[in-house]
Amino acid sequence: MDVTDSKGETAFHYAVQGDSSQVLQLLGKNASSGLNQANHQGLTPLHLACQLGKEEMVRVLLLCNARCNMAAPCGYPIHMAMKFSQKGCAEMIVGMDSNQIHSKDPRYGASPLHWAKNAEMARMLLKRGSDVDCTSASGNTALHVAVMRSRFDCAMALLTYGANAGARGEHGNTPLHLAMSKDSVELVKALIVFGAEVDAPNDFGETPAFIASKISKLVTRRAFLTLLRTLGATCSLPPTQGAPAEYGSVASPHPCSVERAQPPAISLSSLELEDLVHVSRARKPPFLLSSTRDEKRTHDHLLCLDGGGVKGLVIIQLLIAIEKASGVATKDLFDWVAGTSTGGILALAILHSKSMAYMRGLYFRMKDEVFRGSRPYESGPLEEFLKREFGEHTKMTDVKKPKVMLTGTLSDRQPPELHLFRNYEAPEAFREPHISPNVNLKPPAQPSEQLVWRAARSSGAAPTYFRPNGRFLDGGLLANNPTLDAMTEIHEYNQDLIHKGQGNKVKKLSVVVSLGTGRSPQVPVSCVDVFRPSNPWELAKTVFGAKELGKMVVDCCTDPDGRAVDRARAWCEMVGIQYFRLNPLLGTDIMLDEVNDAALVNALWETEVYIYQHQEQFQKLVQLLLSP
Amino acid sequence: MDVTDSKGETAFHYAVQGDSSQVLQLLGKNASSGLNQANHQGLTPLHLACQLGKEEMVRVLLLCNARCNMAAPCGYPIHMAMKFSQKGCAEMIVGMDSNQIHSKDPRYGASPLHWAKNAEMARMLLKRGSDVDCTSASGNTALHVAVMRSRFDCAMALLTYGANAGARGEHGNTPLHLAMSKDSVELVKALIVFGAEVDAPNDFGETPAFIASKISKLVTRRAFLTLLRTLGATCSLPPTQGAPAEYGSVASPHPCSVERAQPPAISLSSLELEDLVHVSRARKPPFLLSSTRDEKRTHDHLLCLDGGGVKGLVIIQLLIAIEKASGVATKDLFDWVAGTSTGGILALAILHSKSMAYMRGLYFRMKDEVFRGSRPYESGPLEEFLKREFGEHTKMTDVKKPKVMLTGTLSDRQPPELHLFRNYEAPEAFREPHISPNVNLKPPAQPSEQLVWRAARSSGAAPTYFRPNGRFLDGGLLANNPTLDAMTEIHEYNQDLIHKGQGNKVKKLSVVVSLGTGRSPQVPVSCVDVFRPSNPWELAKTVFGAKELGKMVVDCCTDPDGRAVDRARAWCEMVGIQYFRLNPLLGTDIMLDEVNDAALVNALWETEVYIYQHQEQFQKLVQLLLSP
């Protein structure tokens, strides 16, 4: 049993390469040193099974107590499985010995996650509890490795599981330093969007922006510099200019080791430098306000979040910018939060103290599960997700501050009616009821009985995307931009207080912040007369036209910009309320159910550019939000 | 040629009864007394031709100079043509001798219009200039006759051409007195809706309400009394109760003579009387204000008119009530008038000083011309109508007061955009343009270049009802209730004034009146899941469901009540503007293109009831409108 052949392989090695796991099982019945014997390449039978992707062999070997901590040149069997992207084998090992997920290979001190070559392998480990920011011996995280290897999908998986985009690794390089020497605009955008700083210096005093200015490939350099310029990055020159010898340091060829940032070959032109120098940095605002939320605020602040499916990411990015600039969590900046559909889910996330960075990762991760298959999507995954995040039994009134309202469309009546899901008692209405008194319609649940996850699901039941949730259709049908309805609600709430003799509790609204999910550029369309086809070609256009007309009607009605914004602005100005509408113009039309990471990263990139371009507005907003 | 047969008929009589007009032509070549000779029944050949409906014979006879003023027992030939509803013959006579339209028959002194037996015949005369309120020898108008003969359609034709619903005829009876003895709720409603007074006494001191209380047929009496009670009619008892002999006076059997109101057979019960006595009269408000428009009003008033096709009649009826109560024309009560679609047409009518009573008749008359055939309707008749009413070359800025805005949907861009057709210069916008600067879209015409009729047509291009007018779709898509957009516009207009240093011209809004076109009761609907048919029956429902969903989306978006009203109310209350929303609940769903007179009369009846039930609100509104 311990006999080895010329390659140093035992019967176990042979059995693993064979077809029958029963042979292996028989071999393993008696304890034998061959079980863990390495061949001349340093591979134990378990290594070999992992390399070959033989899941069943792995299972049998582990049942025979084969050791997981036998080192081969590429590390332990788990590392071998990762190196060859053998998902089943890796899962088997981690399943049988959960510690293996944290095991570091002896040579590089790298965790299995460092070895992940694609998003699927990375996700598999992250879902099982792998530490996303774990460092190798050289100090690099898995994100450093993914960036250095230009693995965009893998980097996205890590980022969406919360990897630190600004982690300092070998030589003090952040992933962004490394990305600058790669030819991938997408990676650079993704890292910046997820919070990487463009002017964090490495151990040599080089910032990512500086490295970008030294890229030898002209097209890439120009692209990166343009990117950075749109964000207003400062091109800070490295303090140690005269250290070219350093650049020659040998980069290890191993996948888990990380190259030094490539040496700059061409210098930034003086003109380009000039351009950059007087552009200030958007994401580090010049003002620094440390005040926290004033509980005794004399005026109320309202936050309104539009609908828009996965484009809710744009709202998240805007909120992160506001939180960063104010140093205060959204929850504490606002007294009222209104949301429609995806905006409603985010309103609940704010209520339940979830960080926006967490929500950003969550949205990226969930979209693939929720928008699977074809429309209308199964609502199961969406509902599971909502239950997991908010709890299966959590009621709307379980958390009371800030006051939150989600819009829904009650479609069991004609005409349909707006319903607000609230975490407080609805104000009593003193107006004529819309409904005939003799019509017996079931009233919606009281806030104290309303399940949070159901409210989120009901607000986000976009027709044709999801099936309606009972009698509720997406709030976007009536209030895709919920600002007007939120202001109406607050007015009615205050009137109700006055009516109840609690006028002293009434606080005047002073700030309204309305966040959009990105808007597409308005484009000309040809007007098709959908009614009178004069020939077969016209007839064909008519079918198309009727669809177009339907789309146009829906677009008209659910456009969260345009008149919805004009009306809200005029209303606020008349009353003396400060109104802020923030909604980036996106270069392309992003669908509610977009699943392409690069497209979404690009939308967030455009959001960052928008934030930079509107920094004065953000500054003013933050000052207002923080003033007592 | 002058030879007569045993019936007193000449060759002309024979020729008229024959097939060939050539024979008649030959006969007529030479002057002959036989041409105008009456037969033993008193009929000339022309009478005979009219009776038989021989249009060509009538033409030839008239060309041969046959006389039109030969009296037969039933009057002149024109009356004969009317009696037998021979439209072509009547048209021929009126066409050859326009005076004939006014000719009164020797016996009753009745005009041809009195003899009209149906709406078509009446309209034919009215279109050619017949005097609608012309009286017969007994003092009755054509409306008296139509009512007495229970000719609802004919009465409607007369009313819509402006017949005086309160005309006092024989014995001082109004048409409503006469209608009370007929078994037609529709007629009673129509007369009241068109302004008949329920407590105008006749020569015997009897009011229509009193006559209703004496109707012998219990069901009818109860129906009428209920009707009157809903309007709060006072049941004033006749001063001359002891004059039963009068009731026996002989009523002429002739169609042009009018019966006395039928004698009351059963008296009103004391309970019913009591009910009626303390109900005040809605249409004669207790307050009487004679003040006219104050040119130096310190605050502005805004009138907003919803869309709704022919249901614009409801708005007209509401405005008539306001004008009646205030004694001031709408034009002078408001500084701003905003309208969508049919509301836009009415806004222009107000601007161009057309009386609302005229518009009411016009709407009833035009609907049959405009909504002819099937959807989408030919836009020609609508456009002709608009040109006729507003002039083919009239520009928006030709009349400057009050300021008027009509909503339209610019659909040459995606998303579509609201456009306001104004009779004043648009305020400059200081907001970000919605459209990409590199997109080259033709700007809409300036107000001074904008044709009035085109603006009306563009605002009223309801999809599927009419074809779009160029790049404009119905304003109702974006603002079926234009209140929010009108308030936005006024705010922007004032901001623009301030910006131009003309802040002294800014007047604060103090009253907003929003009139609807009637709303349907909200009814429960079953939620059809349009996405996952589980069997063929479900599949069938799905097709239906998809249509339902589309309808629901459109209903949601274009509902002029519901949230649109809640939002406007909250906005106004926050700013301290008095807000009035007047919109009667209708018993049935009236379509935009309803052509049934009875259905429309009923909607207006419900409007009258609504006005009565909301008289306090109307009273408050009128006082505010008239205060300086």
Side-chain angles (χ1 to χ4, degrees), chain A residues 309-310 341-342 345 362-363 366-372 376-391 452-462 465-469 474 592:
Chain A
V310 72
S341 198
T342 202
I345 294 174
L362 195 61
Y363 264 54
M366 289 312 306
K367 66 172 175 15
D368 298 311
E369 288 180 41
V370 168
F371 300 126
R372 178 174 287 169
Y377 301 109
E378 287 286 351
S379 47
L382 174 60
E383 293 179 2
E384 283 312 308
F385 151 70
L386 293 171
K387 285 180 199 168
R388 202 161 58 234
E389 290 300 320
F390 297 114
V452 165
W453 76 263
R454 267 193 199 282
R457 169 73 178 90
S458 298
S459 182
Y465 287 92
F466 291 101
R467 302 168 72 188
N469 189 27
D474 198 281
L592 301 191

Short mmCIF file of all heavy atoms in Angstrom, two decimals, chain A residues 309-310 341-342 345 362-363 366-372 376-391 452-462 465-469 474 592:
data_model
loop_
_atom_site.label_atom_id
_atom_site.label_comp_id
_atom_site.label_asym_id
_atom_site.label_seq_id
_atom_site.Cartn_x
_atom_site.Cartn_y
_atom_site.Cartn_z
N GLY A 309 -35.73 50.02 -9.50
CA GLY A 309 -35.10 48.69 -9.50
C GLY A 309 -33.65 48.75 -9.05
O GLY A 309 -33.32 49.46 -8.09
N VAL A 310 -32.81 48.04 -9.80
CA VAL A 310 -31.41 47.94 -9.39
C VAL A 310 -30.71 49.30 -9.48
O VAL A 310 -29.65 49.51 -8.88
CB VAL A 310 -30.69 46.88 -10.25
CG1 VAL A 310 -30.49 47.37 -11.67
CG2 VAL A 310 -29.37 46.48 -9.63
N SER A 341 -40.86 51.76 -4.24
CA SER A 341 -40.24 50.59 -4.84
C SER A 341 -38.82 50.41 -4.30
O SER A 341 -38.63 50.25 -3.11
CB SER A 341 -40.30 50.75 -6.36
OG SER A 341 -40.10 49.52 -6.98
N THR A 342 -37.81 50.47 -5.16
CA THR A 342 -36.44 50.31 -4.67
C THR A 342 -36.12 51.38 -3.63
O THR A 342 -35.42 51.13 -2.64
CB THR A 342 -35.43 50.34 -5.85
OG1 THR A 342 -34.24 49.71 -5.46
CG2 THR A 342 -35.13 51.76 -6.30
N ILE A 345 -37.39 50.17 -0.35
CA ILE A 345 -36.49 49.19 0.28
C ILE A 345 -35.34 49.94 0.96
O ILE A 345 -34.96 49.63 2.10
CB ILE A 345 -35.97 48.19 -0.77
CG1 ILE A 345 -37.14 47.34 -1.28
CG2 ILE A 345 -34.86 47.32 -0.19
CD1 ILE A 345 -36.78 46.41 -2.43
N LEU A 362 -24.96 44.60 -1.28
CA LEU A 362 -26.15 43.75 -1.30
C LEU A 362 -26.88 43.84 -2.65
O LEU A 362 -27.27 42.83 -3.23
CB LEU A 362 -27.09 44.19 -0.17
CG LEU A 362 -28.21 43.25 0.22
CD1 LEU A 362 -27.65 41.93 0.71
CD2 LEU A 362 -29.09 43.89 1.29
N TYR A 363 -27.05 45.07 -3.15
CA TYR A 363 -27.75 45.24 -4.43
C TYR A 363 -27.01 44.52 -5.55
O TYR A 363 -27.62 43.86 -6.38
CB TYR A 363 -27.91 46.73 -4.75
CG TYR A 363 -29.25 47.30 -4.34
CD1 TYR A 363 -29.71 47.17 -3.03
CD2 TYR A 363 -30.08 47.94 -5.25
CE1 TYR A 363 -30.92 47.66 -2.64
CE2 TYR A 363 -31.31 48.45 -4.87
CZ TYR A 363 -31.73 48.32 -3.57
OH TYR A 363 -32.94 48.81 -3.19
N MET A 366 -27.57 40.79 -4.94
CA MET A 366 -28.93 40.29 -5.05
C MET A 366 -29.46 40.29 -6.47
O MET A 366 -30.29 39.47 -6.83
CB MET A 366 -29.86 41.10 -4.16
CG MET A 366 -29.65 40.86 -2.68
SD MET A 366 -29.59 39.11 -2.26
CE MET A 366 -31.13 38.55 -2.97
N LYS A 367 -29.05 41.25 -7.25
CA LYS A 367 -29.63 41.39 -8.58
C LYS A 367 -29.56 40.08 -9.37
O LYS A 367 -30.50 39.74 -10.09
CB LYS A 367 -28.95 42.52 -9.35
CG LYS A 367 -27.49 42.25 -9.68
CD LYS A 367 -26.94 43.29 -10.60
CE LYS A 367 -25.46 43.15 -10.86
NZ LYS A 367 -24.78 41.92 -10.51
N ASP A 368 -28.44 39.36 -9.23
CA ASP A 368 -28.30 38.12 -10.00
C ASP A 368 -29.27 37.05 -9.52
O ASP A 368 -29.70 36.20 -10.29
CB ASP A 368 -26.86 37.60 -9.90
CG ASP A 368 -25.87 38.58 -10.50
OD1 ASP A 368 -26.13 39.04 -11.63
OD2 ASP A 368 -24.88 38.91 -9.83
N GLU A 369 -29.60 37.11 -8.24
CA GLU A 369 -30.55 36.13 -7.73
C GLU A 369 -31.99 36.50 -8.05
O GLU A 369 -32.83 35.66 -8.33
CB GLU A 369 -30.40 36.00 -6.21
CG GLU A 369 -29.12 35.30 -5.81
CD GLU A 369 -29.00 35.18 -4.29
OE1 GLU A 369 -30.02 34.90 -3.63
OE2 GLU A 369 -27.88 35.39 -3.78
N VAL A 370 -32.25 37.82 -7.99
CA VAL A 370 -33.62 38.30 -8.14
C VAL A 370 -34.04 38.38 -9.62
O VAL A 370 -35.16 38.03 -9.97
CB VAL A 370 -33.78 39.66 -7.45
CG1 VAL A 370 -35.10 40.32 -7.82
CG2 VAL A 370 -33.67 39.49 -5.93
N PHE A 371 -33.13 38.86 -10.45
CA PHE A 371 -33.45 39.00 -11.87
C PHE A 371 -32.93 37.80 -12.66
O PHE A 371 -32.16 37.93 -13.59
CB PHE A 371 -32.88 40.31 -12.42
CG PHE A 371 -33.41 41.53 -11.72
CD1 PHE A 371 -32.55 42.46 -11.17
CD2 PHE A 371 -34.78 41.75 -11.61
CE1 PHE A 371 -33.04 43.59 -10.52
CE2 PHE A 371 -35.28 42.87 -10.97
CZ PHE A 371 -34.41 43.80 -10.42
N ARG A 372 -33.35 36.64 -12.25
CA ARG A 372 -32.92 35.41 -12.92
C ARG A 372 -34.06 34.90 -13.78
O ARG A 372 -35.21 34.95 -13.36
CB ARG A 372 -32.53 34.37 -11.86
CG ARG A 372 -32.12 33.03 -12.43
CD ARG A 372 -31.61 32.13 -11.34
NE ARG A 372 -30.28 32.54 -10.86
CZ ARG A 372 -29.70 32.04 -9.78
NH1 ARG A 372 -30.32 31.14 -9.04
NH2 ARG A 372 -28.49 32.44 -9.43
N PRO A 376 -42.11 37.96 -16.22
CA PRO A 376 -41.93 38.44 -14.84
C PRO A 376 -41.09 37.46 -14.04
O PRO A 376 -41.23 36.25 -14.18
CB PRO A 376 -43.36 38.47 -14.31
CG PRO A 376 -44.07 37.43 -15.08
CD PRO A 376 -43.46 37.41 -16.44
N TYR A 377 -40.24 37.98 -13.21
CA TYR A 377 -39.34 37.13 -12.43
C TYR A 377 -40.11 36.45 -11.30
O TYR A 377 -41.10 36.96 -10.81
CB TYR A 377 -38.21 37.98 -11.86
CG TYR A 377 -37.40 38.66 -12.93
CD1 TYR A 377 -37.47 40.03 -13.12
CD2 TYR A 377 -36.58 37.92 -13.78
CE1 TYR A 377 -36.74 40.65 -14.12
CE2 TYR A 377 -35.85 38.52 -14.78
CZ TYR A 377 -35.93 39.90 -14.95
OH TYR A 377 -35.22 40.50 -15.94
N GLU A 378 -39.59 35.30 -10.90
CA GLU A 378 -40.11 34.64 -9.71
C GLU A 378 -39.98 35.61 -8.55
O GLU A 378 -38.93 36.24 -8.38
CB GLU A 378 -39.25 33.41 -9.40
CG GLU A 378 -39.43 32.25 -10.34
CD GLU A 378 -40.76 31.53 -10.09
OE1 GLU A 378 -41.42 31.84 -9.09
OE2 GLU A 378 -41.12 30.68 -10.92
N SER A 379 -41.03 35.72 -7.76
CA SER A 379 -40.91 36.68 -6.66
C SER A 379 -40.28 36.04 -5.43
O SER A 379 -39.89 36.74 -4.50
CB SER A 379 -42.27 37.27 -6.33
OG SER A 379 -43.24 36.27 -6.25
N GLY A 380 -40.11 34.69 -5.44
CA GLY A 380 -39.52 34.00 -4.30
C GLY A 380 -38.18 34.58 -3.84
O GLY A 380 -38.04 34.97 -2.68
N PRO A 381 -37.21 34.66 -4.75
CA PRO A 381 -35.90 35.17 -4.30
C PRO A 381 -35.97 36.58 -3.73
O PRO A 381 -35.31 36.87 -2.72
CB PRO A 381 -35.08 35.15 -5.60
CG PRO A 381 -35.71 34.09 -6.44
CD PRO A 381 -37.18 34.16 -6.12
N LEU A 382 -36.79 37.44 -4.34
CA LEU A 382 -36.92 38.80 -3.82
C LEU A 382 -37.49 38.76 -2.41
O LEU A 382 -37.01 39.45 -1.50
CB LEU A 382 -37.83 39.62 -4.76
CG LEU A 382 -38.18 41.03 -4.27
CD1 LEU A 382 -36.94 41.88 -4.09
CD2 LEU A 382 -39.14 41.71 -5.25
N GLU A 383 -38.52 37.94 -2.24
CA GLU A 383 -39.15 37.87 -0.92
C GLU A 383 -38.22 37.28 0.13
O GLU A 383 -38.16 37.74 1.27
CB GLU A 383 -40.47 37.10 -1.04
CG GLU A 383 -41.48 37.87 -1.88
CD GLU A 383 -42.82 37.17 -2.08
OE1 GLU A 383 -43.00 36.07 -1.53
OE2 GLU A 383 -43.67 37.74 -2.79
N GLU A 384 -37.47 36.25 -0.29
CA GLU A 384 -36.51 35.64 0.63
C GLU A 384 -35.49 36.67 1.08
O GLU A 384 -35.11 36.76 2.25
CB GLU A 384 -35.80 34.45 -0.02
CG GLU A 384 -36.67 33.20 -0.09
CD GLU A 384 -37.34 32.90 1.24
OE1 GLU A 384 -36.63 32.85 2.26
OE2 GLU A 384 -38.59 32.76 1.26
N PHE A 385 -35.03 37.42 0.11
CA PHE A 385 -34.03 38.45 0.37
C PHE A 385 -34.57 39.48 1.37
O PHE A 385 -33.90 39.84 2.35
CB PHE A 385 -33.63 39.07 -0.97
CG PHE A 385 -33.20 40.50 -0.93
CD1 PHE A 385 -31.98 40.85 -0.34
CD2 PHE A 385 -33.97 41.49 -1.49
CE1 PHE A 385 -31.57 42.18 -0.31
CE2 PHE A 385 -33.57 42.81 -1.48
CZ PHE A 385 -32.36 43.16 -0.87
N LEU A 386 -35.81 39.91 1.15
CA LEU A 386 -36.41 40.91 2.04
C LEU A 386 -36.59 40.36 3.46
O LEU A 386 -36.32 41.04 4.45
CB LEU A 386 -37.74 41.40 1.48
CG LEU A 386 -37.65 42.20 0.17
CD1 LEU A 386 -39.03 42.43 -0.42
CD2 LEU A 386 -36.93 43.52 0.40
N LYS A 387 -37.02 39.10 3.52
CA LYS A 387 -37.20 38.48 4.84
C LYS A 387 -35.86 38.37 5.57
O LYS A 387 -35.76 38.59 6.76
CB LYS A 387 -37.82 37.08 4.69
CG LYS A 387 -39.30 37.10 4.37
CD LYS A 387 -39.82 35.68 4.25
CE LYS A 387 -41.14 35.65 3.49
NZ LYS A 387 -41.52 34.28 3.11
N ARG A 388 -34.83 37.99 4.82
CA ARG A 388 -33.51 37.80 5.41
C ARG A 388 -32.99 39.13 5.96
O ARG A 388 -32.44 39.20 7.05
CB ARG A 388 -32.56 37.24 4.36
CG ARG A 388 -31.36 36.52 4.91
CD ARG A 388 -30.74 35.61 3.87
NE ARG A 388 -30.35 36.31 2.66
CZ ARG A 388 -30.74 35.98 1.43
NH1 ARG A 388 -31.57 34.97 1.25
NH2 ARG A 388 -30.33 36.66 0.39
N GLU A 389 -33.21 40.18 5.18
CA GLU A 389 -32.64 41.47 5.58
C GLU A 389 -33.44 42.14 6.69
O GLU A 389 -32.87 42.81 7.55
CB GLU A 389 -32.54 42.41 4.37
CG GLU A 389 -31.50 41.98 3.34
CD GLU A 389 -30.09 41.93 3.93
OE1 GLU A 389 -29.73 42.83 4.72
OE2 GLU A 389 -29.36 40.97 3.61
N PHE A 390 -34.76 42.01 6.62
CA PHE A 390 -35.59 42.78 7.56
C PHE A 390 -36.25 41.90 8.63
O PHE A 390 -36.87 42.42 9.54
CB PHE A 390 -36.65 43.57 6.80
CG PHE A 390 -36.06 44.59 5.86
CD1 PHE A 390 -36.21 44.48 4.49
CD2 PHE A 390 -35.33 45.67 6.36
CE1 PHE A 390 -35.65 45.42 3.64
CE2 PHE A 390 -34.77 46.62 5.53
CZ PHE A 390 -34.93 46.48 4.16
N GLY A 391 -36.10 40.61 8.48
CA GLY A 391 -36.73 39.71 9.44
C GLY A 391 -38.12 39.31 8.96
O GLY A 391 -38.84 40.11 8.38
N VAL A 452 -42.78 44.30 7.66
CA VAL A 452 -41.85 45.15 6.91
C VAL A 452 -41.54 44.57 5.54
O VAL A 452 -41.59 45.26 4.53
CB VAL A 452 -40.55 45.37 7.73
CG1 VAL A 452 -39.45 45.91 6.85
CG2 VAL A 452 -40.81 46.29 8.90
N TRP A 453 -41.25 43.29 5.50
CA TRP A 453 -40.85 42.71 4.22
C TRP A 453 -41.98 42.77 3.20
O TRP A 453 -41.77 42.97 2.02
CB TRP A 453 -40.29 41.29 4.39
CG TRP A 453 -41.31 40.19 4.63
CD1 TRP A 453 -41.69 39.68 5.81
CD2 TRP A 453 -42.05 39.48 3.62
NE1 TRP A 453 -42.63 38.70 5.64
CE2 TRP A 453 -42.87 38.54 4.30
CE3 TRP A 453 -42.10 39.52 2.23
CZ2 TRP A 453 -43.73 37.67 3.63
CZ3 TRP A 453 -42.96 38.66 1.56
CH2 TRP A 453 -43.76 37.75 2.26
N ARG A 454 -43.21 42.65 3.70
CA ARG A 454 -44.36 42.70 2.78
C ARG A 454 -44.56 44.12 2.26
O ARG A 454 -44.94 44.32 1.11
CB ARG A 454 -45.63 42.29 3.51
CG ARG A 454 -45.93 40.82 3.35
CD ARG A 454 -47.37 40.54 3.82
NE ARG A 454 -47.52 39.13 4.10
CZ ARG A 454 -47.70 38.20 3.15
NH1 ARG A 454 -47.74 38.56 1.87
NH2 ARG A 454 -47.82 36.94 3.46
N ALA A 455 -44.34 45.10 3.11
CA ALA A 455 -44.46 46.49 2.67
C ALA A 455 -43.45 46.76 1.56
O ALA A 455 -43.79 47.34 0.53
CB ALA A 455 -44.23 47.43 3.85
N ALA A 456 -42.23 46.29 1.77
CA ALA A 456 -41.18 46.48 0.76
C ALA A 456 -41.58 45.78 -0.54
O ALA A 456 -41.46 46.35 -1.63
CB ALA A 456 -39.86 45.94 1.27
N ARG A 457 -42.08 44.58 -0.40
CA ARG A 457 -42.48 43.81 -1.59
C ARG A 457 -43.64 44.48 -2.31
O ARG A 457 -43.69 44.52 -3.53
CB ARG A 457 -42.87 42.40 -1.14
CG ARG A 457 -43.54 41.52 -2.18
CD ARG A 457 -42.57 41.05 -3.22
NE ARG A 457 -43.26 40.16 -4.18
CZ ARG A 457 -43.85 40.58 -5.29
NH1 ARG A 457 -43.81 41.86 -5.60
NH2 ARG A 457 -44.45 39.74 -6.10
N SER A 458 -44.59 45.03 -1.55
CA SER A 458 -45.77 45.64 -2.16
C SER A 458 -45.41 46.93 -2.89
O SER A 458 -45.96 47.23 -3.93
CB SER A 458 -46.81 45.94 -1.09
OG SER A 458 -47.22 44.73 -0.47
N SER A 459 -44.52 47.69 -2.31
CA SER A 459 -44.11 48.94 -2.96
C SER A 459 -43.33 48.62 -4.23
O SER A 459 -43.39 49.38 -5.20
CB SER A 459 -43.25 49.77 -2.01
OG SER A 459 -42.89 50.99 -2.61
N GLY A 460 -42.64 47.50 -4.24
CA GLY A 460 -41.78 47.18 -5.38
C GLY A 460 -42.33 46.08 -6.25
O GLY A 460 -41.65 45.12 -6.56
N ALA A 461 -43.60 46.21 -6.63
CA ALA A 461 -44.20 45.20 -7.51
C ALA A 461 -44.38 45.79 -8.90
O ALA A 461 -45.48 45.98 -9.37
CB ALA A 461 -45.53 44.72 -6.92
N ALA A 462 -43.26 46.13 -9.52
CA ALA A 462 -43.31 46.78 -10.83
C ALA A 462 -43.98 45.86 -11.84
O ALA A 462 -43.52 44.74 -12.07
CB ALA A 462 -41.91 47.14 -11.30
N TYR A 465 -42.40 43.26 -14.36
CA TYR A 465 -41.15 42.78 -13.79
C TYR A 465 -41.45 41.68 -12.77
O TYR A 465 -40.86 40.62 -12.77
CB TYR A 465 -40.35 43.90 -13.15
CG TYR A 465 -39.73 44.81 -14.16
CD1 TYR A 465 -40.39 45.95 -14.59
CD2 TYR A 465 -38.48 44.52 -14.71
CE1 TYR A 465 -39.82 46.78 -15.54
CE2 TYR A 465 -37.91 45.34 -15.66
CZ TYR A 465 -38.59 46.48 -16.08
OH TYR A 465 -38.02 47.28 -17.02
N PHE A 466 -42.41 42.03 -11.88
CA PHE A 466 -42.82 41.04 -10.89
C PHE A 466 -44.33 40.91 -10.93
O PHE A 466 -45.03 41.80 -11.39
CB PHE A 466 -42.37 41.46 -9.49
CG PHE A 466 -40.90 41.41 -9.30
CD1 PHE A 466 -40.14 42.56 -9.38
CD2 PHE A 466 -40.26 40.20 -9.10
CE1 PHE A 466 -38.76 42.50 -9.23
CE2 PHE A 466 -38.89 40.14 -8.94
CZ PHE A 466 -38.14 41.30 -9.00
N ARG A 467 -44.82 39.82 -10.40
CA ARG A 467 -46.26 39.70 -10.27
C ARG A 467 -46.70 40.61 -9.14
O ARG A 467 -45.92 40.92 -8.24
CB ARG A 467 -46.62 38.24 -9.97
CG ARG A 467 -46.11 37.31 -11.05
CD ARG A 467 -46.20 35.88 -10.61
NE ARG A 467 -47.58 35.43 -10.58
CZ ARG A 467 -47.94 34.26 -10.07
NH1 ARG A 467 -47.05 33.46 -9.52
NH2 ARG A 467 -49.20 33.90 -10.12
N PRO A 468 -47.95 41.07 -9.24
CA PRO A 468 -48.41 41.94 -8.17
C PRO A 468 -48.42 41.18 -6.85
O PRO A 468 -48.57 39.97 -6.82
CB PRO A 468 -49.83 42.32 -8.59
CG PRO A 468 -50.20 41.43 -9.70
CD PRO A 468 -48.96 40.83 -10.27
N ASN A 469 -48.24 41.91 -5.77
CA ASN A 469 -48.29 41.29 -4.46
C ASN A 469 -49.70 41.46 -3.91
O ASN A 469 -50.03 42.50 -3.35
CB ASN A 469 -47.27 41.93 -3.53
CG ASN A 469 -47.15 41.16 -2.24
OD1 ASN A 469 -47.40 39.96 -2.20
ND2 ASN A 469 -46.78 41.86 -1.18
N ASP A 474 -46.94 48.26 -7.88
CA ASP A 474 -45.81 49.14 -7.59
C ASP A 474 -46.24 50.58 -7.32
O ASP A 474 -47.06 51.14 -8.02
CB ASP A 474 -44.89 49.11 -8.81
CG ASP A 474 -43.51 49.61 -8.48
OD1 ASP A 474 -43.31 50.83 -8.40
OD2 ASP A 474 -42.63 48.76 -8.29
N LEU A 592 -34.34 48.64 -15.20
CA LEU A 592 -34.62 48.32 -13.80
C LEU A 592 -33.97 47.01 -13.38
O LEU A 592 -33.69 46.79 -12.21
CB LEU A 592 -36.13 48.15 -13.57
CG LEU A 592 -37.09 49.27 -13.87
CD1 LEU A 592 -38.45 48.94 -13.29
CD2 LEU A 592 -36.58 50.57 -13.29
#
